[in-house]
Amino acid sequence: MTTADYIALAFFAFVWMGYSWLLHGRTFFGRTSLTHAMTERRREWIYNSLRRDLKMIDTQIMAGLQNGTAFFASTSIFAIGSCFALLGATEKVDAVFADLPFVFHGGHAVFEMKVGGLAALFGYAFFKFGWSYRLFNYCTILFGSIPMMRDTERDVIAAERAAERVIRMNVIAGSNFNEGLRAIFLSIGYLGWFINPYVFMMTTAIVIVVLTRRQFFSQARLAIIDSGPPSNLHLSAIRRDMPSSGGNDLSEGL
């Protein structure tokens, strides 16, 4: 490998770690990230489930989260298999690269190393998606331990503790899912290395810019951020005689 290859690889690792560090912070230029905003929405969702006995909607949401995670885990496995298949087609790749302009091909060993790095990216993504799927499964079990509305009214503190366990597990599972998805996105930038290290750095920078825009400057972020966050999400202010959102008191009919 050339010096430019080492620089491009270091740039890739630095940008990845820097972006992850950025998302772990609360704000960027005074803007809350989409990920942190969704964490608050997760909290509102779980606390809202304490206000009703019928939780079929919540279990459907949990199932949807698990199914989406399983899809990406399966996709990562297929991508890893494709990388190993590509290792067996080195001669054909040499013939293709020889006819392409602006492509720097450093030989079989360098090509195989690049493919190995791509397989490692997909392997990292698979482990993140697999762990996220397991955590969403645990989250479903914890959600089943949330008390019914009558029991919640008898012991609000215990109900809130049960809700907090679900929230924390859901947030951790979502964080692992986001990290796996980030690896998938960055693998697109990694493909630029097969052309030359300068394209590698450019495609990586483009991917990071796109991801940063989606996190801090997108319409999706604006859609879920309130002008002011709710001051209290606890149950102390909830009364049984208050009607539900659908206009019917579910506790009265059960």
Side-chain angles (χ1 to χ4, degrees):
M1 292 203 315
T2 65
T3 303
D5 287 312
Y6 287 114
I7 293 175
L9 188 59
F11 175 78
F12 179 80
F14 174 78
V15 168
W16 189 351
M17 290 187 294
Y19 181 75
S20 299
W21 174 82
L22 178 65
L23 288 186
H24 279 94
R26 295 291 304 180
T27 60
F28 177 64
F29 288 118
R31 291 173 173 264
T32 303
S33 69
L34 178 62
T35 299
H36 278 94
M38 280 306 303
T39 298
E40 295 304 316
R41 301 293 87 78
R42 291 174 193 267
R43 181 179 298 275
E44 289 180 2
W45 159 41
I46 299 301
Y47 269 103
N48 187 47
S49 70
L50 292 174
R51 295 171 167 85
R52 56 178 178 269
D53 282 334
L54 302 178
K55 294 181 170 59
M56 288 81 76
I57 295 176
D58 307 296
T59 56
Q60 287 296 319
I61 295 173
M62 292 286 189
L65 293 173
Q66 282 187 300
N67 292 336
T69 306
F71 169 78
F72 281 105
S74 301
T75 302
S76 300
I77 286 292
F78 289 136
I80 293 171
S82 300
C83 290
F84 282 106
L86 189 59
L87 289 175
T90 307
E91 298 294 336
K92 295 181 180 179
V93 171
D94 280 338
V96 172
F97 280 177
D99 298 329
L100 294 177
F102 310 111
V103 174
F104 176 76
H105 186 48
H108 292 347
V110 174
F111 175 76
E112 290 172 355
M113 188 191 68
K114 292 177 181 179
V115 174
L118 186 61
L121 270 178
F122 290 128
Y124 172 84
F126 170 75
F127 275 104
K128 285 296 182 180
F129 289 133
W131 184 233
S132 176
Y133 183 86
R134 187 71 177 270
L135 293 182
F136 277 129
N137 185 36
Y138 291 159
C139 186
T140 304
I141 296 172
L142 290 175
F143 189 83
S145 67
I146 289 181
M148 303 295 281
M149 193 169 178
R150 291 178 183 271
D151 298 326
T152 297
E153 292 164 350
R154 294 193 190 100
D155 193 346
V156 174
I157 301 300
E160 289 180 349
R161 287 176 178 172
E164 286 295 333
R165 286 194 294 267
V166 179
I167 292 167
R168 287 197 299 268
M169 187 64 72
N170 196 280
V171 169
I172 295 171
S175 177
N176 279 270
F177 177 84
N178 289 335
E179 290 175 7
L181 200 59
R182 192 178 309 143
I184 296 292
F185 287 145
L186 285 170
S187 68
I188 299 174
Y190 185 94
L191 294 176
W193 200 11
F194 290 92
I195 300 176
N196 63 57
Y198 305 103
V199 174
F200 180 23
M201 288 188 284
M202 183 184 68
T203 52
T204 299
I206 290 173
V207 170
I208 289 297
V209 168
V210 170
L211 294 180
T212 303
R213 179 190 173 278
R214 290 179 176 178
Q215 282 287 340
F216 297 99
F217 303 96
S218 65
Q219 294 295 322
R221 172 188 169 276
L222 293 176
I224 64 172
I225 290 184
D226 299 327
S227 56
S231 58
N232 187 10
L233 292 176
H234 297 286
L235 300 175
S236 55
I238 298 176
R239 294 165 29 201
R240 289 192 60 187
D241 58 350
M242 299 253 330
S244 65
S245 58
N248 296 321
D249 190 351
L250 295 178
S251 62
E252 183 177 320
L254 290 177

